[in-house]
Amino acid sequence: MLLIECPHCGPREQTEFTCGGEGHIVRPDPATATDAEWGHYLFMRKNPKGLHYERWFHAHGCRQWFHAARSTVTHEIFAIYGIDEPPPAIDANKAGSR
Amino acid sequence: MTQAFRNSDGGRIDRGKRVSFTFDGQNLEGFAGDTLASALLANGVRLVGRSFKYHRPRGIVGSGPEEPNALIQLGVGAHTEPNTRATQIALFDGLVSESQNAWPGVGFDVGAINNMVSKAIPSGFYYKTFMWPAAAWMFYEKFIRSAAGLGKAPTEPDPETYEKRSVWCDVLVVGGGPAGLAAALAAGATGARVILADEQSEFGGSLLASRDRIEGRDGADWAGDVIDDLAGMPEVRVLSRTTVVSYHDHNYLVAVERVNDHLPLGKRHGPRQRLWKVRARQVVLATGAIERPLVFAENDRPGVMLAGAVRTYVNRYGARPGNRAVVFTNNDSAYRAAIDASDGGIAIAAIVDCRAQPEGALVRLARERGIEIVAGSVITGVRGTKQVSEVEVATLTQDGSDVAGARRSIDCDLVMMSGGWNPTVHLYSQSGGKLAWNADLATFVPATAAQKSREAGAVNGSFSLMAALAEGSRAGSAAARDAGFEGEEPAVPACDAGPGDGVLALQALWDVPCGRKGAKRFLDFQNDVTASDVALAHRENYSSVEHFKRYTTTGMGTDQGKTSNVNGLAIMAGLRGVDVPEVGHTTFRPFYTAVTVGALAGINSGPELLDPVRKTPMHHWHEQHGAHFEDVGQWKRPYCYLRPGETVKQAVDREVLAARTSVAILDASTLGKIDIQGPDALELINRVYTNNFATLKVGACRYGLMCKDDGMVFDDGVTARIGENRYLMSTTTGGAPNVLNWLEEWLQCEWRDLEAYCTSVTTHWAAIAIAGPNSRRLLAELTATDLSNEAFPFMTWQDGEIAGIPGRIFRISFSGETGFEVQVPASYALALWRALMTAGEKYSITPYGTEAMHVLRAEKGFIIAGQDTDGTTTPYDLGMDWIVSKKKGDFLGKRGLERPDTLRDDRKQLVGLLTEDPNEVIPEGAHVSPSPHSNKPVPMEGWVTSSYYSPNCGRSIAMALLRGGAGRIGETVAIPLEHKVVRAKITRPVFFDEEGERLRG
Ligand SMILES: [Zn+2]
């Protein structure tokens, strides 16, 4: 079980959180998006081995969403940042497989 | 029986405290401080069980968690527990134990016939039988199942209680041997919060089984003093009888404390076991090492034991597992065991050493004592069925692949074997740490840690006492420092473990040759895997580590292969002609030792505590009035109210008719309610519903349908405008938390410019639906509010006082009847319910449950999101085109509903079904097939989502999602059931009052 540093509540157990999957997905303009673009937005997700930018929800705490940069291999969390912030640069080697 | 194999002094048992127990019905006596295993050995009991597959007689092999054979059915009745290890059962007065896997008794066992026909059940037997032909497996299975099985689970509910604790610490030290004690002392001295856990009743680990001395004292006494010191440190917690069983991500470890298992039933207080969930900043693993057996012919005879285990029984328990031992080893450590055993009264007949020229301090010491050393030799056979009586010894050939020369027999009643030591790397490996092969020790040792952990002592392959103490001190200090605590590393205490301490000088010896064909050389005692089975797996190309393990079942017993895994890997490596690391090792998985389900459940067991039960304010009234409850999410809702002598169907029919002929009331409190406020509340609502809410006036309400952004229906409900910037949104009972999360996700993540706030008020407001032609008349008696159609039209709401209770009256209906919904603060709901029941007596007011509600809404063709939809259903599929706004701007699902796939004509669409036989109620979930009699798999074109008997229609009604259904009205379809095919006509999904006159009346 992960220990996740909620930006508002501090380190809390993973069971208090819900993972919202890949972060920074931009919703295309529905008026101009092609079917392919809209389908990509709805259904296509990254599945990296290593660094993953994702969003989390402190469902059983402050009920706030935030971003995390996490290794899908080691589960190390490299950064926690606001839901409206851009993804920070992370050394790819650091986030690599163990 | 007297304790004929108990020494008169020595050991850590209390000879002043006699303890009575039974084993297989035999009354025996031991001493306080004994384990069941040590007490059995002291009483001369050698045969303790039968093996799993061949039912061969088996004795105690080890002295701890590694024990493969001595599996015990402990206790009786509801307290019985199977597969406990005699080596880890603390003896207490009145303990009742039974051997397992042996019927009718351990001495004579019909299953042993398997042993004589063992060629018929080789490795892979299960897989091969399963594959050919399928029917054969069905035939064999019941025989296999009854002959196999390790012990019996209790049939009664567990009468014991359990609990869980979540804690954090700066440093968790796992293992209370010399390394762990030194680590805890060093870390504790810095003021860090330290937890020290050890699986045994007493701290000291190897010190309890040795005659080592530390700081001029007996090692065990030193351990006791350290524990006293630690107890004086306010931030240190010391947990004995506590096994750390798993190591998870982010330094999260789970431990099981056996609080009461060592006490007689009558003396137990509090929980039987306690599960500790520990989050540690730093971890020190001082988990020790487990001795490896040697794989030689007939090495499973009772009386063949690990050398270190014999040393433990003699030194710690004053118990002699035999009187005359032959030692068989490939390393120096067994010499230490031989010397200690000899001092403990066991005659050492010989030490058989595979090394041609063993020489080391311990070897010299043994020689000086006059112990015969048979060098360059191996044991080639063991005689004695229920106990060892003799071993056969022969010389190894130069290359070690075979034996040569004359065989020599040596009488003995005990064999002490040592094939080296495997560091207990289970937790380390679970943490993600990488292992490396150490050729000198011929075993895997920790290489690269993956988490904030350190290893100290034997787990590192550092087998000397000095190294254990030094590594422990260093690891404890460093861990505390990394956790933010400064302190000087304490000096390593002076110690004396005798000459040659920690030296193995090991010569790898895996599959021990015996010069005979067919002799069984066991590698996994519990699962009866022999060296020949490994060879068979190799011949059949199951030679990769994961295949080999499953094909032979090596390491798949309750002991998880603690004694067998490395031997198995090494033998496979030999067959493949590669080094052991090239074979690799299987994954170490939680748990290190078995955990009772009770400990994992903790207090969260039983219908009330497993999952929270939610009850409405009227729950007690429902209970008193015959409510037959159903679970809806976590809620208990009345399904119907049974009158004396009524069947469920009769009750539902009565309630449905009452709602259409007079008046009926429903406890609707469980519906989700979300209070939405803020200047942009309307904009939020308009974006999440598919229909237009912009025109909703204060005092009005509107039904809305919610889609995910892919256009699939997600939830529905009525939203009322309470004020200029305030709305009350209702959701389905089960969907309430999801809808709230959904709103918050969009508000926080995507629409950060909107100012709106959402609060769940589900349990603040209780709700009562009043339905039926007499509903207005009834409600009018309890309120001054003008309820006339003109003053209070359909789909509006008003504040009002009902039976003296301030609340809100909504003119809405899910039953399709004239109706109202009244919401009052939850604590007044029961009073209101009672007032309605009293005032409604003259109308024969009828409380109705969820099933009547379902029938009423299905008669009207109202959907239930989640029942008539499944996450792939669009509003169009439901025939609800009218609810998707064509005018308003963007909303969730709008673009998704324009995708070509969501516009296909042949999607599954909601239709009504009327069976040819009006009394036939199709089971919900039944499939619709275009050709129900074709070969399997029968093609399917949809399924029934709702199905009821409608007393108002006088027949059954059903709804189905059917491929292209909207264009097939009037067709007849087939619904294949288990023993018949039902035919039904496709209709529009509305069965009653299609014009909705009653609703608005
Ligand atoms: Zn939080």
Side-chain angles (χ1 to χ4, degrees), chain A residues 6 8-9 58 61-63:
Chain A
C6 171
H8 310 285
C9 311
H58 197 184
C62 61
R63 297 193 60 81

Side-chain angles (χ1 to χ4, degrees), chain A residues 1-3 13 27 30 33-35 38 41-43 55 57 63-65 75-77 83-84 98, chain B residues 248-250 252 279 434 709-710 740-741 744-746 748-750 752 890 892 895-896 899-900:
Chain A
M1 182 161 54
L2 310 186
L3 187 70
E13 302 291 332
R27 187 174 188 256
T34 64
D35 286 333
W38 197 259
Y41 151 70
L42 286 178
F43 304 121
R55 65 192 199 189
F57 177 46
R63 297 193 60 81
Q64 295 298 299
W65 284 87
H75 298 294
E76 186 180 347
I77 295 171
I83 196 66
D84 54 346
R98 70 181 174 204
Chain B
H248 307 271
D249 291 309
H250 292 192
Y252 181 77
R279 183 74 73 175
K434 283 223 160 49
D709 220 4
D710 55 8
L740 182 65
N741 288 350
E744 289 192 341
E745 180 170 3
W746 283 91
Q748 289 183 36
C749 303
E750 306 297 331
R752 295 183 61 80
D890 190 22
L892 294 182
R895 181 64 182 83
R899 289 192 309 120

Side-chain angles (χ1 to χ4, degrees), chain B residues 327-567:
Chain B
V327 179
F328 182 19
T329 185
N330 67 348
N331 70 86
D332 279 7
S333 75
Y335 286 76
R336 178 83 261 167
I339 290 161
D340 284 12
S342 163
D343 287 348
I346 299 173
I348 305 298
I351 297 178
V352 179
D353 194 325
C354 73
R355 298 171 295 177
Q357 288 172 318
E359 51 188 327
L362 283 164
V363 179
R364 284 195 295 278
L365 201 58
R367 218 174 255 135
E368 281 163 20
R369 287 172 166 243
I371 297 174
E372 183 193 357
I373 297 168
V374 189
S377 297
V378 295
I379 293 182
T380 55
V382 181
R383 275 184 276 282
T385 307
K386 292 176 186 173
Q387 186 177 353
V388 175
S389 60
E390 182 183 72
V391 297
E392 189 187 81
V393 175
T395 310
L396 268 181
T397 56
Q398 196 77 31
D399 65 355
S401 67
D402 206 349
V403 286
R407 307 289 198 270
R408 172 184 162 193
S409 292
I410 306 174
D411 286 348
C412 61
D413 60 358
L414 177 64
V415 175
M416 298 164 58
M417 62 179 162
S418 178
W421 294 78
N422 292 328
T424 310
V425 294
H426 302 64
L427 293 176
Y428 169 82
S429 191
Q430 285 174 26
S431 80
K434 283 223 160 49
L435 298 170
W437 181 254
N438 180 317
D440 288 341
L441 304 176
T443 192
F444 289 101
V445 294
T448 318
Q451 300 203 33
K452 290 168 181 165
S453 75
R454 291 173 171 77
E455 303 75 42
V459 67
N460 262 341
S462 306
F463 295 130
S464 76
L465 178 60
M466 176 62 90
L469 293 168
E471 289 182 11
S473 280
R474 201 176 313 134
S477 298
R481 190 182 334 105
D482 284 359
F485 293 83
E486 286 303 329
E488 241 171 72
E489 190 182 319
V492 179
C495 65
D496 177 13
D501 182 40
V503 177
L504 293 190
L506 178 142
Q507 175 182 310
L509 177 66
W510 304 113
D511 186 0
V512 180
C514 65
R516 286 182 289 144
K517 279 216 165 79
K520 284 195 168 66
R521 306 181 305 284
F522 283 91
L523 118 91
D524 188 310
F525 296 111
Q526 192 174 100
N527 271 0
D528 271 346
V529 183
T530 64
S532 316
D533 291 325
V534 183
L536 178 66
H538 177 248
R539 271 204 308 283
E540 301 200 344
N541 206 25
Y542 287 88
S543 50
S544 93
V545 58
E546 299 289 351
H547 287 157
F548 143 69
K549 168 180 170 163
R550 283 157 186 84
Y551 192 83
T552 61
T553 71
T554 301
M556 289 169 72
T558 63
D559 60 347
Q560 295 274 295
K562 289 186 177 64
T563 55
S564 63
N565 281 340
V566 173
N567 279 339

